[in-house]
Amino acid sequence: RNLDPLVALGYVALATGRDARTRVATLTAAGHGALAAAEPCWAAAQVDVRAELGAERMTALLELLAAVEDLHPAAPVRATVSRRARRSPHAPGKSA
């Protein structure tokens, strides 16, 4: 149900998974285009939030969000959040 709006817009295609209980979602060409068009807005929002929070609070926010994400049973195991944050183009201290 959560993907229905994206399917209706043509951004995501759904296919049957390994069994009847699962589905595989794939980003379509239109979905890739929408994502590319949205990225500058997302980057600008990240810059604005970092400017308002400051580097220290932004780092704390990213660490807290990673901890929440790690609560999901299928979450990958991470050694540290800081390594993950360094990979992100929107991590504190990186310009977008």
Side-chain angles (χ1 to χ4, degrees), residues 8-78:
L9 290 168
Y11 296 158
V12 171
L14 295 177
T16 303
R18 291 184 181 187
D19 60 48
R21 298 172 296 166
T22 62
R23 294 188 297 171
V24 176
T26 305
L27 203 56
T28 65
H32 282 285
L35 183 59
E39 284 193 35
C41 296
W42 178 251
Q46 294 295 305
V47 169
D48 291 347
V49 169
R50 186 167 23 106
E52 288 294 322
L53 293 180
E56 188 174 317
R57 289 174 63 199
M58 184 69 171
T59 298
L61 173 61
L62 292 174
E63 289 173 352
L64 181 59
L65 291 172
V68 170
E69 184 180 3
D70 288 341
L71 295 174
H72 190 282
V77 177
R78 285 190 276 278

